Amino acid sequence: MVNRRDFLVRSAVLAGTASFRPWPDALAAAQALPSLEGTLVINALGGISNPNLRTVGDTAAGLGPDPEASARALDPRALRDAVASGTTALNVTLGYVSGPMEPFEYTVEQIGVWEAIVRRHPELRKVWTADDITAAQREGRVGIIFGFQNAAMVGERVERVDLFADLGVRIVQLTYNPRNQIGDGSMEVGNRGLTDFGREVLARLHTNRLLVDLSHSGERTCLDAIAASPGPIAITHTGCRALTDLPRNKTDEELRRLADKGGVAGIYFMPFLHPDGQARAEDVVRHIEHAVDVCGEDHVGIGTDGGTTQVDDMEAYRAVIREEIRQRAAAGIGATGESADVVPMIPDLQGPDQFRKLAALLRGRGHPWSRIEKILGGNFNRLFREVWPTV
Protein backbone atom coordinates (compact mmCIF):
# COMPACT_ATOMS: atom_id res chain seq x y z
CA MET A 1 0.00 0.00 0.00
CA VAL A 2 1.29 3.46 -0.89
CA ASN A 3 0.83 5.74 2.10
CA ARG A 4 0.26 9.46 1.81
CA ARG A 5 3.78 10.52 2.66
CA ASP A 6 5.37 8.09 0.17
CA PHE A 7 2.89 9.21 -2.48
CA LEU A 8 3.73 12.88 -1.98
CA VAL A 9 7.44 12.18 -2.16
CA ARG A 10 6.99 10.28 -5.43
CA SER A 11 4.77 13.06 -6.77
CA ALA A 12 7.44 15.64 -6.00
CA VAL A 13 10.04 13.58 -7.84
CA LEU A 14 7.77 13.22 -10.86
CA ALA A 15 6.67 16.88 -10.90
CA GLY A 16 7.58 18.51 -14.17
CA THR A 17 8.15 15.17 -15.92
CA ALA A 18 4.58 13.93 -16.11
CA SER A 19 1.10 15.47 -16.12
CA PHE A 20 -2.49 14.48 -16.65
CA ARG A 21 -3.84 14.66 -20.16
CA PRO A 22 -5.72 17.88 -20.98
CA TRP A 23 -9.49 17.55 -21.06
CA PRO A 24 -10.05 17.28 -24.84
CA ASP A 25 -7.57 14.39 -24.96
CA ALA A 26 -9.02 12.85 -21.82
CA LEU A 27 -12.54 12.93 -23.24
CA ALA A 28 -11.34 11.34 -26.47
CA ALA A 29 -9.58 8.60 -24.53
CA ALA A 30 -12.74 7.96 -22.48
CA GLN A 31 -15.06 7.12 -25.36
CA ALA A 32 -14.85 3.36 -24.77
CA LEU A 33 -16.31 2.49 -21.37
CA PRO A 34 -14.26 -0.07 -19.47
CA SER A 35 -15.72 -3.22 -17.97
CA LEU A 36 -15.99 -3.24 -14.19
CA GLU A 37 -16.13 -7.02 -14.06
CA GLY A 38 -14.23 -8.13 -10.97
CA THR A 39 -13.85 -4.54 -9.71
CA LEU A 40 -15.26 -3.57 -6.33
CA VAL A 41 -17.49 -0.51 -6.65
CA ILE A 42 -18.37 0.90 -3.24
CA ASN A 43 -20.57 3.96 -3.07
CA ALA A 44 -19.80 5.27 0.42
CA LEU A 45 -23.04 7.30 0.44
CA GLY A 46 -25.75 6.66 -2.10
CA GLY A 47 -29.21 5.31 -2.61
CA ILE A 48 -31.52 3.15 -4.66
CA SER A 49 -34.51 5.11 -5.86
CA ASN A 50 -36.25 6.25 -9.01
CA PRO A 51 -36.16 10.07 -9.16
CA ASN A 52 -38.81 10.02 -11.88
CA LEU A 53 -41.42 8.95 -9.30
CA ARG A 54 -41.02 12.16 -7.31
CA THR A 55 -43.51 14.98 -7.72
CA VAL A 56 -43.63 18.59 -6.60
CA GLY A 57 -45.95 17.65 -3.75
CA ASP A 58 -43.42 15.28 -2.16
CA THR A 59 -41.85 16.21 1.16
CA ALA A 60 -38.11 16.85 0.97
CA ALA A 61 -35.75 14.05 1.95
CA GLY A 62 -35.08 14.07 5.65
CA LEU A 63 -38.14 16.14 6.49
CA GLY A 64 -40.99 13.69 6.06
CA PRO A 65 -42.40 11.54 8.87
CA ASP A 66 -43.13 8.55 6.61
CA PRO A 67 -40.49 5.82 7.01
CA GLU A 68 -41.97 3.83 4.10
CA ALA A 69 -41.01 6.47 1.52
CA SER A 70 -37.75 4.65 0.75
CA ALA A 71 -39.58 1.43 -0.03
CA ARG A 72 -41.93 3.16 -2.48
CA ALA A 73 -39.10 4.90 -4.37
CA LEU A 74 -37.21 1.61 -4.73
CA ASP A 75 -39.05 0.34 -7.79
CA PRO A 76 -37.97 -2.41 -10.25
CA ARG A 77 -36.18 0.08 -12.50
CA ALA A 78 -34.13 1.46 -9.61
CA LEU A 79 -33.15 -2.06 -8.60
CA ARG A 80 -32.18 -3.03 -12.15
CA ASP A 81 -30.09 0.12 -12.53
CA ALA A 82 -28.29 -0.42 -9.23
CA VAL A 83 -27.28 -3.95 -10.26
CA ALA A 84 -26.40 -2.88 -13.82
CA SER A 85 -24.19 -0.06 -12.52
CA GLY A 86 -21.76 -2.58 -11.08
CA THR A 87 -22.30 -1.28 -7.56
CA THR A 88 -20.96 -3.87 -5.14
CA ALA A 89 -22.11 -2.10 -1.99
CA LEU A 90 -23.53 1.24 -0.94
CA ASN A 91 -24.11 3.07 2.30
CA VAL A 92 -27.80 3.98 2.45
CA THR A 93 -29.04 6.73 4.75
CA LEU A 94 -31.70 5.50 7.13
CA GLY A 95 -33.08 6.90 10.33
CA TYR A 96 -33.47 10.46 11.47
CA VAL A 97 -31.77 13.28 9.56
CA SER A 98 -34.00 16.20 10.44
CA GLY A 99 -37.64 17.09 10.89
CA PRO A 100 -40.41 16.94 13.51
CA MET A 101 -40.13 13.18 14.19
CA GLU A 102 -38.85 11.80 17.48
CA PRO A 103 -35.33 10.81 16.36
CA PHE A 104 -34.89 7.53 18.23
CA GLU A 105 -38.34 6.08 17.52
CA TYR A 106 -38.24 7.10 13.88
CA THR A 107 -34.78 5.58 13.42
CA VAL A 108 -35.71 2.22 14.93
CA GLU A 109 -38.80 2.14 12.72
CA GLN A 110 -36.73 2.88 9.61
CA ILE A 111 -34.24 0.16 10.44
CA GLY A 112 -37.20 -2.22 10.45
CA VAL A 113 -38.34 -0.87 7.08
CA TRP A 114 -34.92 -1.49 5.54
CA GLU A 115 -34.72 -4.97 7.03
CA ALA A 116 -37.97 -5.73 5.21
CA ILE A 117 -36.70 -4.13 1.98
CA VAL A 118 -33.60 -6.33 1.94
CA ARG A 119 -35.66 -9.46 2.67
CA ARG A 120 -38.13 -8.68 -0.13
CA HIS A 121 -35.51 -8.12 -2.82
CA PRO A 122 -33.09 -10.93 -3.69
CA GLU A 123 -30.93 -8.39 -5.56
CA LEU A 124 -29.88 -6.97 -2.18
CA ARG A 125 -27.75 -8.28 0.68
CA LYS A 126 -27.38 -6.66 4.10
CA VAL A 127 -23.78 -5.88 4.98
CA TRP A 128 -22.63 -6.79 8.48
CA THR A 129 -18.96 -7.37 7.69
CA ALA A 130 -16.57 -6.69 4.83
CA ASP A 131 -16.93 -10.35 3.86
CA ASP A 132 -20.57 -9.60 3.01
CA ILE A 133 -19.35 -7.14 0.37
CA THR A 134 -17.17 -9.83 -1.18
CA ALA A 135 -20.13 -12.21 -1.10
CA ALA A 136 -22.39 -9.62 -2.74
CA GLN A 137 -19.89 -9.23 -5.56
CA ARG A 138 -19.67 -13.00 -6.04
CA GLU A 139 -23.47 -13.34 -6.06
CA GLY A 140 -24.14 -10.38 -8.37
CA ARG A 141 -26.06 -8.57 -5.67
CA VAL A 142 -25.79 -5.09 -4.15
CA GLY A 143 -24.59 -4.93 -0.56
CA ILE A 144 -26.66 -2.59 1.60
CA ILE A 145 -24.75 -0.86 4.40
CA PHE A 146 -26.98 0.63 7.08
CA GLY A 147 -25.78 4.16 7.83
CA PHE A 148 -26.85 7.34 9.62
CA GLN A 149 -26.39 10.94 8.44
CA ASN A 150 -27.01 12.34 11.90
CA ALA A 151 -26.40 10.90 15.37
CA ALA A 152 -29.21 12.88 16.98
CA MET A 153 -31.09 9.61 17.58
CA VAL A 154 -28.56 8.71 20.29
CA GLY A 155 -30.21 11.46 22.35
CA GLU A 156 -28.43 11.78 25.69
CA ARG A 157 -28.01 8.01 26.10
CA VAL A 158 -24.62 6.88 24.83
CA GLU A 159 -25.57 3.21 25.35
CA ARG A 160 -27.90 3.50 22.34
CA VAL A 161 -24.79 3.17 20.19
CA ASP A 162 -24.60 -0.46 21.37
CA LEU A 163 -28.21 -1.06 20.28
CA PHE A 164 -27.65 0.39 16.83
CA ALA A 165 -24.53 -1.73 16.40
CA ASP A 166 -26.52 -4.84 17.32
CA LEU A 167 -29.19 -3.88 14.77
CA GLY A 168 -26.58 -3.81 12.02
CA VAL A 169 -25.84 -0.12 11.61
CA ARG A 170 -22.25 0.13 10.37
CA ILE A 171 -21.61 3.83 9.58
CA VAL A 172 -22.57 6.75 11.82
CA GLN A 173 -22.22 10.37 10.72
CA LEU A 174 -21.85 12.58 13.78
CA THR A 175 -23.77 15.66 12.59
CA TYR A 176 -25.90 16.94 9.77
CA ASN A 177 -25.66 20.61 8.70
CA PRO A 178 -26.91 22.20 11.97
CA ARG A 179 -25.58 21.63 15.47
CA ASN A 180 -26.67 18.63 17.51
CA GLN A 181 -25.75 17.31 20.97
CA ILE A 182 -22.49 15.91 19.59
CA GLY A 183 -21.02 18.90 17.75
CA ASP A 184 -21.42 21.57 15.12
CA GLY A 185 -22.45 20.81 11.57
CA SER A 186 -20.95 22.49 8.54
CA MET A 187 -23.50 25.33 8.50
CA GLU A 188 -22.97 26.43 12.12
CA VAL A 189 -21.09 29.71 12.05
CA GLY A 190 -19.81 29.23 15.60
CA ASN A 191 -17.64 26.26 14.57
CA ARG A 192 -17.46 25.11 18.21
CA GLY A 193 -16.30 21.55 17.69
CA LEU A 194 -17.15 18.37 19.58
CA THR A 195 -19.06 18.58 22.85
CA ASP A 196 -18.03 16.57 25.91
CA PHE A 197 -20.92 14.23 25.22
CA GLY A 198 -19.81 14.03 21.60
CA ARG A 199 -16.47 12.67 22.77
CA GLU A 200 -18.31 9.99 24.75
CA VAL A 201 -20.31 9.02 21.67
CA LEU A 202 -17.18 8.97 19.54
CA ALA A 203 -15.43 6.63 21.98
CA ARG A 204 -18.49 4.36 22.13
CA LEU A 205 -18.63 4.16 18.33
CA HIS A 206 -15.02 3.02 18.23
CA THR A 207 -15.62 0.50 21.01
CA ASN A 208 -18.43 -1.00 18.92
CA ARG A 209 -16.22 -0.92 15.82
CA LEU A 210 -18.61 1.29 13.87
CA LEU A 211 -17.19 3.55 11.19
CA VAL A 212 -17.32 7.22 12.18
CA ASP A 213 -18.35 9.54 9.34
CA LEU A 214 -17.43 13.25 9.43
CA SER A 215 -19.38 14.38 6.36
CA HIS A 216 -21.45 17.52 6.99
CA SER A 217 -19.42 18.30 10.12
CA GLY A 218 -18.04 21.71 10.92
CA GLU A 219 -14.30 22.09 10.45
CA ARG A 220 -13.46 22.11 14.14
CA THR A 221 -15.81 19.18 14.84
CA CYS A 222 -14.07 17.26 12.09
CA LEU A 223 -10.57 18.02 13.34
CA ASP A 224 -11.55 17.31 16.97
CA ALA A 225 -13.01 13.93 16.01
CA ILE A 226 -9.98 12.92 13.94
CA ALA A 227 -7.64 13.85 16.78
CA ALA A 228 -9.72 12.00 19.38
CA SER A 229 -10.21 8.84 17.31
CA PRO A 230 -7.98 5.87 18.13
CA GLY A 231 -8.26 4.52 14.60
CA PRO A 232 -9.23 5.37 11.03
CA ILE A 233 -12.50 7.11 10.20
CA ALA A 234 -14.23 8.36 7.05
CA ILE A 235 -15.66 11.35 5.28
CA THR A 236 -18.04 9.42 3.06
CA HIS A 237 -19.22 12.25 0.79
CA THR A 238 -17.56 15.61 0.30
CA GLY A 239 -15.58 17.83 -2.05
CA CYS A 240 -12.34 19.80 -1.71
CA ARG A 241 -12.67 23.30 -0.31
CA ALA A 242 -9.37 24.32 -1.91
CA LEU A 243 -11.15 24.03 -5.27
CA THR A 244 -14.65 25.18 -4.27
CA ASP A 245 -14.83 27.23 -1.08
CA LEU A 246 -18.13 26.04 0.37
CA PRO A 247 -18.77 24.81 3.94
CA ARG A 248 -19.88 21.36 2.77
CA ASN A 249 -16.41 20.71 1.34
CA LYS A 250 -13.34 19.75 3.38
CA THR A 251 -10.16 21.77 3.76
CA ASP A 252 -6.77 20.33 2.88
CA GLU A 253 -5.95 20.18 6.58
CA GLU A 254 -9.01 18.02 7.29
CA LEU A 255 -8.18 15.75 4.35
CA ARG A 256 -4.52 15.40 5.36
CA ARG A 257 -5.31 14.56 8.95
CA LEU A 258 -7.93 12.06 7.86
CA ALA A 259 -5.37 10.34 5.63
CA ASP A 260 -2.73 10.40 8.35
CA LYS A 261 -5.16 8.39 10.52
CA GLY A 262 -5.68 5.88 7.71
CA GLY A 263 -9.12 7.14 6.71
CA VAL A 264 -10.80 7.60 3.33
CA ALA A 265 -12.64 10.57 1.82
CA GLY A 266 -15.39 9.94 -0.75
CA ILE A 267 -15.95 12.56 -3.44
CA TYR A 268 -19.60 13.24 -4.19
CA PHE A 269 -21.50 13.85 -7.42
CA MET A 270 -23.03 17.09 -6.16
CA PRO A 271 -23.26 20.78 -7.13
CA PHE A 272 -20.89 21.76 -4.30
CA LEU A 273 -18.02 20.80 -6.62
CA HIS A 274 -18.49 23.91 -8.75
CA PRO A 275 -18.43 27.46 -7.37
CA ASP A 276 -20.87 28.93 -9.85
CA GLY A 277 -23.55 26.88 -11.54
CA GLN A 278 -24.00 23.22 -12.35
CA ALA A 279 -21.13 20.85 -11.63
CA ARG A 280 -20.10 18.45 -14.39
CA ALA A 281 -18.10 15.23 -14.70
CA GLU A 282 -14.94 17.30 -15.16
CA ASP A 283 -15.46 18.79 -11.69
CA VAL A 284 -15.77 15.34 -10.11
CA VAL A 285 -12.46 14.33 -11.65
CA ARG A 286 -10.80 17.60 -10.59
CA HIS A 287 -11.84 17.06 -6.97
CA ILE A 288 -10.74 13.42 -7.03
CA GLU A 289 -7.37 14.45 -8.41
CA HIS A 290 -6.93 17.16 -5.79
CA ALA A 291 -7.86 14.75 -3.01
CA VAL A 292 -5.33 12.23 -4.34
CA ASP A 293 -2.68 14.96 -4.39
CA VAL A 294 -3.44 15.88 -0.78
CA CYS A 295 -4.21 12.48 0.75
CA GLY A 296 -2.48 9.91 -1.42
CA GLU A 297 -4.15 7.38 -3.65
CA ASP A 298 -4.99 5.01 -0.78
CA HIS A 299 -7.29 7.50 0.93
CA VAL A 300 -9.76 8.62 -1.77
CA GLY A 301 -13.02 7.00 -2.86
CA ILE A 302 -16.50 7.93 -4.05
CA GLY A 303 -19.69 8.70 -2.18
CA THR A 304 -22.04 10.06 -4.82
CA ASP A 305 -24.88 11.13 -2.51
CA GLY A 306 -27.27 9.93 -5.20
CA GLY A 307 -28.69 6.97 -7.05
CA THR A 308 -28.08 5.29 -10.40
CA THR A 309 -31.38 5.85 -12.19
CA GLN A 310 -31.35 8.61 -14.77
CA VAL A 311 -33.81 11.51 -14.76
CA ASP A 312 -36.03 11.24 -17.84
CA ASP A 313 -37.65 14.70 -17.72
CA MET A 314 -35.13 17.19 -16.38
CA GLU A 315 -37.52 20.15 -16.41
CA ALA A 316 -40.09 18.29 -14.31
CA TYR A 317 -37.31 17.20 -11.97
CA ARG A 318 -36.09 20.79 -11.62
CA ALA A 319 -39.54 21.78 -10.39
CA VAL A 320 -39.33 19.07 -7.71
CA ILE A 321 -35.87 20.25 -6.65
CA ARG A 322 -36.95 23.90 -6.45
CA GLU A 323 -39.64 22.89 -3.96
CA GLU A 324 -37.23 20.69 -2.01
CA ILE A 325 -34.68 23.49 -1.74
CA ARG A 326 -37.43 25.79 -0.46
CA GLN A 327 -38.44 23.22 2.17
CA ARG A 328 -34.84 22.66 3.29
CA ALA A 329 -34.25 26.39 3.65
CA ALA A 330 -37.48 26.82 5.63
CA ALA A 331 -36.45 23.97 7.95
CA GLY A 332 -32.99 25.44 8.52
CA ILE A 333 -31.11 22.43 7.12
CA GLY A 334 -30.04 23.79 3.74
CA ALA A 335 -26.40 24.30 2.82
CA THR A 336 -24.53 27.15 1.17
CA GLY A 337 -24.19 26.22 -2.50
CA GLU A 338 -27.67 24.73 -2.83
CA SER A 339 -29.69 26.57 -5.45
CA ALA A 340 -33.13 26.25 -6.93
CA ASP A 341 -31.47 26.57 -10.35
CA VAL A 342 -29.04 23.67 -9.88
CA VAL A 343 -29.96 19.99 -9.69
CA PRO A 344 -28.26 17.93 -6.95
CA MET A 345 -26.46 15.58 -9.32
CA ILE A 346 -23.89 15.53 -12.10
CA PRO A 347 -25.97 15.55 -15.32
CA ASP A 348 -23.27 13.85 -17.42
CA LEU A 349 -22.65 11.18 -14.76
CA GLN A 350 -26.20 9.89 -14.52
CA GLY A 351 -27.56 6.41 -15.02
CA PRO A 352 -26.18 2.90 -14.58
CA ASP A 353 -23.05 3.71 -16.63
CA GLN A 354 -21.96 6.46 -14.23
CA PHE A 355 -19.09 4.50 -12.64
CA ARG A 356 -17.84 3.20 -15.98
CA LYS A 357 -17.89 6.76 -17.30
CA LEU A 358 -15.94 7.98 -14.28
CA ALA A 359 -13.41 5.17 -14.69
CA ALA A 360 -13.03 6.03 -18.37
CA LEU A 361 -12.46 9.72 -17.61
CA LEU A 362 -9.85 8.90 -14.99
CA ARG A 363 -8.13 6.52 -17.37
CA GLY A 364 -8.31 9.17 -20.08
CA ARG A 365 -6.50 11.55 -17.76
CA GLY A 366 -3.67 9.07 -17.39
CA HIS A 367 -4.49 7.48 -14.04
CA PRO A 368 -3.35 3.85 -13.82
CA TRP A 369 -6.04 1.21 -13.50
CA SER A 370 -4.66 0.15 -10.11
CA ARG A 371 -5.42 3.62 -8.76
CA ILE A 372 -8.85 3.74 -10.39
CA GLU A 373 -9.76 0.45 -8.70
CA LYS A 374 -8.77 1.89 -5.33
CA ILE A 375 -10.91 4.99 -5.92
CA LEU A 376 -13.92 3.01 -7.12
CA GLY A 377 -14.01 0.79 -4.06
CA GLY A 378 -10.73 -0.72 -2.99
CA ASN A 379 -9.89 1.98 -0.48
CA PHE A 380 -13.24 1.88 1.30
CA ASN A 381 -13.11 -1.91 1.31
CA ARG A 382 -9.74 -1.77 3.06
CA LEU A 383 -11.11 0.73 5.58
CA PHE A 384 -14.16 -1.41 6.30
CA ARG A 385 -11.94 -4.45 6.93
CA GLU A 386 -9.84 -2.45 9.37
CA VAL A 387 -12.76 -0.98 11.32
CA TRP A 388 -15.73 -3.36 11.27
CA PRO A 389 -15.98 -6.52 13.36
CA THR A 390 -15.36 -9.75 11.48
CA VAL A 391 -18.40 -11.58 12.85
Side-chain angles (χ1 to χ4, degrees):
M1 184 174 83
V2 181
N3 64 35
R4 187 178 73 85
R5 292 185 181 86
D6 289 344
F7 178 83
L8 294 178
V9 169
R10 294 183 191 182
S11 297
V13 171
L14 292 173
T17 64
S19 60
F20 297 133
R21 294 188 182 103
W23 269 100
D25 293 343
L27 292 171
Q31 293 306 308
L33 298 184
S35 169
L36 298 181
E37 184 73 28
T39 299
L40 284 172
V41 177
I42 296 176
N43 190 350
L45 193 286
I48 303 179
S49 64
N50 186 345
N52 300 292
L53 301 179
R54 298 174 63 185
T55 65
V56 176
D58 289 343
T59 303
L63 293 177
D66 182 4
E68 289 283 355
S70 298
R72 288 195 297 273
L74 199 154
D75 73 341
R77 178 181 174 184
L79 281 165
R80 288 195 304 270
D81 288 346
V83 173
S85 72
T87 299
T88 313
L90 63 93
N91 169 26
V92 297
T93 299
L94 51 79
Y96 181 84
V97 177
S98 63
M101 307 82 77
E102 199 290 314
F104 177 74
E105 292 179 3
Y106 179 78
T107 298
V108 172
E109 188 174 6
Q110 264 224 323
I111 290 173
V113 168
W114 269 98
E115 288 284 358
I117 288 173
V118 174
R119 285 197 302 271
R120 282 200 301 267
H121 298 291
E123 302 95 333
L124 308 179
R125 179 188 178 110
K126 183 177 178 179
V127 171
W128 290 85
T129 71
D131 286 342
D132 287 315
I133 294 177
T134 305
Q137 182 184 40
R138 183 174 62 249
E139 297 161 357
R141 296 199 279 176
V142 178
I144 300 297
I145 304 165
F146 285 11
F148 294 164
Q149 274 203 76
N150 194 337
M153 64 285 288
V154 173
E156 299 299 329
R157 297 176 58 182
V158 70
E159 66 273 13
R160 284 179 174 172
V161 172
D162 308 346
L163 170 65
F164 292 134
D166 290 342
L167 291 174
V169 175
R170 285 296 172 261
I171 299 177
V172 176
Q173 185 175 295
L174 297 186
T175 71
Y176 195 61
N177 291 333
R179 179 176 176 82
N180 65 14
Q181 79 278 27
I182 290 168
D184 276 15
S186 61
M187 298 311 299
E188 288 290 339
V189 296
N191 194 26
R192 289 162 289 188
L194 278 180
T195 65
D196 290 342
F197 181 69
R199 293 177 185 276
E200 291 182 44
V201 172
L202 182 70
R204 196 72 164 236
L205 290 168
H206 281 286
T207 297
N208 280 276
R209 301 189 66 179
L210 301 186
L211 182 60
V212 175
D213 183 3
L214 297 174
S215 307
H216 288 268
S217 64
E219 183 177 2
R220 186 176 168 193
T221 299
C222 183
L223 294 174
D224 284 352
I226 293 171
S229 290
I233 52 184
I235 301 170
T236 62
H237 56 297
T238 191
C240 303
R241 198 178 299 184
L243 299 184
T244 307
D245 188 11
L246 292 172
R248 276 289 289 107
N249 296 332
K250 294 300 182 182
T251 64
D252 284 359
E253 183 181 8
E254 291 169 280
L255 295 172
R256 287 192 189 100
R257 293 195 185 185
L258 178 84
D260 284 342
K261 268 285 173 68
V264 179
I267 300 301
Y268 45 30
F269 292 12
M270 290 290 281
F272 307 108
L273 300 180
H274 194 286
D276 183 23
Q278 185 70 57
R280 310 290 294 184
E282 177 177 347
D283 297 298
V284 176
V285 173
R286 286 175 56 245
H287 282 256
I288 287 174
E289 289 176 350
H290 182 83
V292 169
D293 286 343
V294 172
C295 299
E297 66 178 28
D298 293 313
H299 304 283
V300 181
I302 52 173
T304 67
D305 206 359
T308 50
T309 295
Q310 183 159 333
V311 171
D312 298 329
D313 185 341
M314 188 60 73
E315 288 309 308
Y317 184 70
R318 286 182 185 278
V320 173
I321 295 305
R322 280 193 289 270
E323 173 60 17
E324 179 167 317
I325 295 298
R326 186 196 66 76
Q327 292 178 26
R328 287 172 57 81
I333 64 168
T336 303
E338 292 180 356
S339 168
D341 299 321
V342 176
V343 292
M345 66 169 67
I346 305 298
D348 48 347
L349 281 180
Q350 284 195 81
D353 277 338
Q354 60 184 210
F355 301 124
R356 283 181 280 272
K357 289 176 182 176
L358 177 61
L361 288 170
L362 289 169
R363 188 173 61 180
R365 289 277 283 167
H367 293 274
W369 188 252
S370 59
R371 179 182 301 159
I372 294 170
E373 287 185 313
K374 291 179 180 181
I375 292 168
L376 288 178
N379 287 335
F380 270 111
N381 187 55
R382 183 267 306 165
L383 179 62
F384 296 161
R385 288 194 176 278
E386 289 184 19
V387 174
W388 290 344
T390 55
V391 291

